[in-house]
């Protein structure tokens, strides 16, 4: 379904979509993930305000929507039907605002589907009670590099 469906997604009512991966806020850290999901025929929809990212995202096999704010995303997509909702902006402030809006408008219906890419470990407590999973990028980098310095 993936790539073929992605090219026709704009012709389908977004409310009827199901089992898709929604990425809200795109970072280059997600490029490989988007490509791998597309290779697995997963339907990936990326919401980002930067139209300059459109070509990169669409060439990776995802559908790009650049003209929506978080309220429009919630109104236009049935997020309860998503497989995953990834909050991936490079700015934790944007991710927390998007997360708060989703939770305030949808309650806990989608909490377990939400994955937040945390850019700054000190912001962890802002997300912990509202997201299903938090991936602390800076800690992952530290864990990988610390081996070179004999630290855990």
């Amino acid at each position: 379904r993936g790539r073929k469906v992605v090219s026709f997604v704009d012709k389908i009512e977004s409310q009827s979509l199901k089992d898709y991966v929604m990425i809200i806020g795109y970072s280059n850290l997600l490029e490989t993930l988007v490509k791998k999901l597309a290779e697995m025929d997963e339907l990936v929809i990326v919401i980002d305000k930067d139209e300059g990212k459109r070509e990169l995202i669409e060439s990776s096999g995802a559908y790009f929507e650049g003209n929506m704010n978080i309220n429009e995303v919630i109104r236009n997509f049935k997020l309860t039907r998503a497989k995953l909702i990834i909050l991936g902006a490079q700015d934790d402030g944007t991710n927390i605002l998007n997360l708060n809006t989703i939770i305030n408008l949808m309650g806990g219906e989608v909490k377990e589907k939400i994955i937040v890419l945390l850019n700054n470990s000190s912001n962890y407590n802002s997300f912990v009670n509202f997201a299903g999973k938090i991936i602390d990028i800076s800690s992952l980098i530290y864990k990988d590099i610390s081996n070179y310095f004999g630290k855990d």
Side-chain angles (χ1 to χ4, degrees):
R1 88 189 148 90
R3 284 182 226 185
K4 291 179 183 173
V5 172
V6 168
S7 63
F8 295 106
V9 131
D10 54 345
K11 296 178 184 173
I12 301 171
E13 285 191 43
S14 54
Q15 288 282 324
S16 66
L17 295 174
K18 66 179 188 173
D19 296 327
Y20 59 92
V21 176
M22 172 71 71
I23 298 175
I24 303 170
Y26 185 82
S27 149
N28 289 340
L29 295 171
L30 294 167
E31 184 176 359
T32 299
L33 173 66
V34 170
K35 285 180 181 176
K36 296 292 184 188
L37 290 172
E39 287 171 9
M40 296 182 329
D41 277 341
E42 293 291 338
L43 175 58
V44 180
I45 302 166
V46 177
I47 310 293
D48 196 283
K49 292 181 181 183
D50 184 354
E51 282 288 333
K53 296 177 183 177
R54 177 182 294 276
E55 187 176 330
L56 171 68
I57 291 167
E58 289 181 346
S59 70
S60 296
Y63 173 79
F64 178 83
E65 178 57 61
N67 298 318
M68 283 189 189
N69 63 42
I70 191 64
N71 292 307
E72 292 169 318
V73 170
I74 294 166
R75 189 170 48 250
N76 292 327
F77 290 91
K78 195 166 189 118
L79 295 180
T80 55
R81 292 179 160 205
K83 269 187 190 175
L84 289 175
I85 302 163
I86 300 171
L87 301 181
Q90 293 175 324
D91 170 39
D92 286 340
T94 299
N95 288 335
I96 194 67
L97 289 172
N98 288 338
L99 178 61
N100 282 336
T101 303
I102 292 169
I103 296 301
N104 285 335
L105 295 177
M106 300 194 70
E109 290 181 83
V110 295
K111 177 182 175 181
E112 294 306 314
K113 296 179 181 202
I114 298 174
I115 298 174
V116 176
L117 300 187
L118 184 65
N119 297 286
N120 183 333
S121 299
S122 66
N123 293 326
Y124 180 85
N125 288 333
S126 298
F127 295 96
V128 70
N129 294 320
F130 306 105
K133 182 171 180 78
I134 300 168
I135 300 173
D136 186 345
I137 297 167
S138 60
S139 288
L140 290 176
I141 293 168
Y142 172 76
K143 285 177 187 173
D144 202 42
I145 293 176
S146 66
N147 295 331
Y148 293 99
F149 301 100
K151 310 253 185 208
D152 302 336

